[in-house]
Amino acid sequence: MFKWIKDKFKSDEEKEEKILEESQEDKELQEEDRKPEKNVEDASVPEESPHEELDSKPIKEEAFDSKELNQEPDLEEESPLNLEEDQEIKTEEELVQNEEDPIIKEEKDPDEEKEESKGFFKKLTSGLAKTRKQMGQKINQVLGAYVKVDDELLDDLEDILISSDMGMETTMEAIDRLKERIIKDEIKDPNLVYPTLKSVIQELLDECELDSTLTTTHPTIVLVVGVNGVGKTTTIGKLSSQLKTQGKTVLVAAADTFRAAAIDQLKTWGQRAGVDVISHSEGADPAAVTYDAVQAAKARDVDVLIVDTAGRLHNKSNLMKELEKIGKIIEREYPEANRENLLVLDATTGQNAIIQAKTFNEATNLTGFVLTKLDGTAKGGVVIGLQRELRVPIKFIGVGEQINDLQTFHSKDFVDALFQEES
């Protein structure tokens, strides 16, 4: 009995060992079957071709059963495709946006121009501070001292205008018109005289009907004249820079050969503005320099040739004749060129600037004035006298020392800045 039971347990143990051995053999066979497949995969699929792994059918079937094939790097290798598609979509969107950009820019341009105009007006207002203090504030003080409008008030206003170098003739005309407006509009409050005077001065400038635009149509020759120390060379440098920013080709002639270091100074400004300078040695004939510069301008087909001349006193006849000689060479060698004869005046000289202007106008037939150093004088009233008495436009005014501080003159901006009430 015990023997039978012992034999039975023994047979059961042998069966279990047999089953375990068979299962172990099956596992080893499965592992051997998997090893060749992995080796074939590694040998046949290069690392640089992850997409072939995805396209291979057997590997797709194994990916669900094998942890080795179902790895996250495979998903990362697919991501570049999706990124490229996204980039293509974004690129198309950007192209659509870029096509709309020009329209947006065109809408913004007027605003940019307004901002630039505000910047210029701010500089002009700042530059006229001394004149405004001399003229505007004194006018307000006089008006504040009176309780009614009478002849004494008008006499005080006349003195203020004359002291600001508006000129005797222009001042008398302004006061006469002011009287007429006071009677016509029945102005009794002295505080109302201030805006009326501003309107009268604006009217005087508007009646001149002067065009402050500088001619730059190809080809143009700008002859710059004036006495020593008024800022001719500086003005030429600033003007050259301004024309360059407008897309014009510019050439400068250093015909001021008498003043020491004038040629070097002009070359320095030429480098700042990015323009070439035609020059000879110091003491050379200014007419010869002008001749060479005209020939160079014709050969290079430049838009604007600016000729710097020697600073000369308006009461020196021999120097004025030299200026006339330069003018004749230009007319003979380049008759088809447009002409601009600009007289540079120092605003700090006041009424003396008007005397200079009258003499230079006889010698060169001036087409415009450049009024420099307006930011450093209380005699800004000369602007009004110049245009009323000579009927020649002020084309530029200098309100600073920087290269972009040369501004085109606009009478309305000038009057607004001159009569701007202090905050």
Side-chain angles (χ1 to χ4, degrees):
M1 182 72 180
F2 290 105
K3 186 178 181 182
W4 178 82
I5 294 172
K6 186 177 180 181
D7 292 339
K8 186 176 181 180
F9 278 108
K10 185 176 182 181
S11 61
D12 290 339
E13 289 176 358
E14 289 176 356
K15 286 180 181 179
E16 287 177 1
E17 289 177 1
K18 188 176 183 181
I19 291 169
L20 289 173
E21 288 176 0
E22 288 177 356
S23 63
Q24 186 67 28
E25 289 177 0
D26 291 337
K27 287 181 181 180
E28 291 176 359
L29 288 173
Q30 287 178 3
E31 288 177 359
E32 289 177 359
D33 290 338
R34 288 176 183 175
K35 286 181 180 178
E37 290 177 0
K38 186 175 180 182
N39 292 336
V40 172
E41 181 188 349
D42 295 338
S44 60
V45 182
E47 291 180 358
E48 298 180 79
S49 305
H51 308 302
E52 293 181 6
E53 270 185 45
L54 298 174
D55 296 336
S56 176
K57 195 169 185 181
I59 293 173
K60 282 187 177 179
E61 292 175 354
E62 282 289 317
F64 296 103
D65 299 329
S66 174
K67 293 182 179 179
E68 296 180 5
L69 296 176
N70 191 17
Q71 294 176 350
E72 291 184 0
D74 292 341
L75 298 175
E76 292 178 359
E77 290 173 354
E78 289 182 4
S79 61
L81 293 176
N82 297 330
L83 289 173
E84 289 178 2
E85 291 175 0
D86 292 341
Q87 287 175 357
E88 289 176 2
I89 293 170
K90 289 179 181 178
T91 303
E92 291 177 358
E93 292 175 354
E94 289 173 359
L95 288 174
V96 174
Q97 291 176 358
N98 289 338
E99 290 177 357
E100 296 175 355
D101 285 345
I103 300 175
I104 295 172
K105 285 182 180 179
E106 288 180 3
E107 293 176 353
K108 289 183 179 179
D109 283 343
D111 294 334
E112 291 176 0
E113 290 178 0
K114 287 180 182 178
E115 289 298 324
E116 186 177 359
S117 178
K118 288 179 182 178
F120 283 146
F121 182 75
K122 187 176 181 181
K123 285 184 179 181
L124 179 60
T125 303
S126 176
L128 290 173
K130 289 186 178 181
T131 300
R132 188 165 55 251
K133 184 176 180 180
Q134 170 72 19
M135 183 173 168
Q137 291 184 5
K138 284 188 176 182
I139 290 175
N140 279 325
Q141 289 174 2
V142 169
L143 296 177
Y146 286 85
V147 294
K148 65 177 182 178
V149 179
D150 54 19
D151 290 339
E152 291 184 7
L153 184 149
L154 295 175
D155 288 342
D156 287 342
L157 290 179
E158 181 180 317
D159 291 340
I160 293 172
L161 296 180
I162 291 175
S163 65
S164 67
D165 279 86
M166 187 180 291
M168 182 62 70
E169 294 179 12
T170 305
T171 298
M172 295 303 298
E173 188 175 1
I175 295 298
D176 289 342
R177 293 197 184 194
L178 181 60
K179 287 180 181 179
E180 294 175 2
R181 292 280 292 273
I182 289 173
I183 296 172
K184 180 182 176 180
D185 298 337
E186 297 181 354
I187 298 174
K188 298 180 180 180
D189 185 358
N191 292 324
L192 297 178
V193 174
Y194 191 84
T196 306
L197 178 59
K198 175 183 175 181
S199 177
V200 167
I201 291 178
Q202 183 67 63
E203 187 179 278
L204 291 175
L205 291 174
D206 291 342
E207 285 178 357
C208 297
E209 296 181 351
L210 301 174
D211 185 9
S212 60
T213 305
L214 181 72
T215 301
T216 56
T217 307
H218 174 81
T220 296
I221 296 179
V222 180
L223 186 66
V224 182
V225 300
V227 301
N228 282 328
V230 296
K232 287 196 322 312
T233 305
T234 303
T235 297
I236 290 172
K238 294 177 179 179
L239 180 57
S240 299
S241 176
Q242 191 176 112
L243 293 174
K244 284 277 290 184
T245 58
Q246 296 172 5
K248 301 292 183 180
T249 53
V250 183
L251 188 65
V252 176
D256 182 0
T257 60
F258 298 138
R259 183 170 64 89
I263 298 173
D264 292 336
Q265 184 182 1
L266 190 61
K267 286 181 177 180
T268 300
W269 275 103
Q271 291 175 357
R272 292 181 188 176
V275 300
D276 291 335
V277 177
I278 303 298
S279 63
H280 287 189
S281 60
E282 185 177 333
D285 183 4
V289 178
T290 303
Y291 176 85
D292 288 347
V294 170
Q295 300 306 319
K298 292 167 68 175
R300 301 183 190 185
D301 198 32
V302 298
D303 295 321
V304 181
L305 169 63
I306 303 176
V307 181
D308 182 22
T309 61
R312 59 202 73 234
L313 296 175
H314 54 280
N315 56 0
K316 297 294 182 179
S317 58
N318 58 332
L319 293 176
M320 298 302 285
K321 287 180 180 179
E322 183 69 33
L323 192 58
E324 292 176 4
K325 182 180 177 182
I326 291 175
K328 289 179 180 178
I329 289 176
I330 294 173
E331 291 175 2
R332 185 189 68 198
E333 299 298 326
Y334 214 169
E336 66 271 26
N338 300 300
R339 290 289 305 275
E340 285 278 4
N341 297 326
L342 300 182
L343 172 62
V344 181
L345 295 169
D346 185 344
T348 61
T349 60
Q351 281 298 296
N352 191 40
I354 296 179
I355 297 172
Q356 291 179 26
K358 290 179 178 178
T359 306
F360 273 100
N361 195 32
E362 294 174 359
T364 59
N365 188 23
L366 299 175
T367 61
F369 298 124
V370 179
L371 205 59
T372 64
K373 307 177 186 179
L374 197 60
D375 57 323
T377 181
K379 301 179 179 180
V382 69
V383 169
I384 304 164
L386 272 173
Q387 297 195 108
R388 287 295 299 179
E389 293 186 29
L390 279 84
R391 291 296 195 273
V392 175
I394 296 175
K395 302 219 170 184
F396 296 99
I397 54 175
V399 290
E401 298 179 357
Q402 301 301 317
I403 198 167
N404 59 348
D405 285 339
L406 187 69
Q407 297 185 22
T408 302
F409 178 77
H410 298 290
S411 62
K412 186 178 184 308
D413 289 343
F414 175 80
V415 175
D416 287 344
L418 189 61
F419 283 85
Q420 187 181 57
E421 296 183 6
E422 301 292 338
S423 55

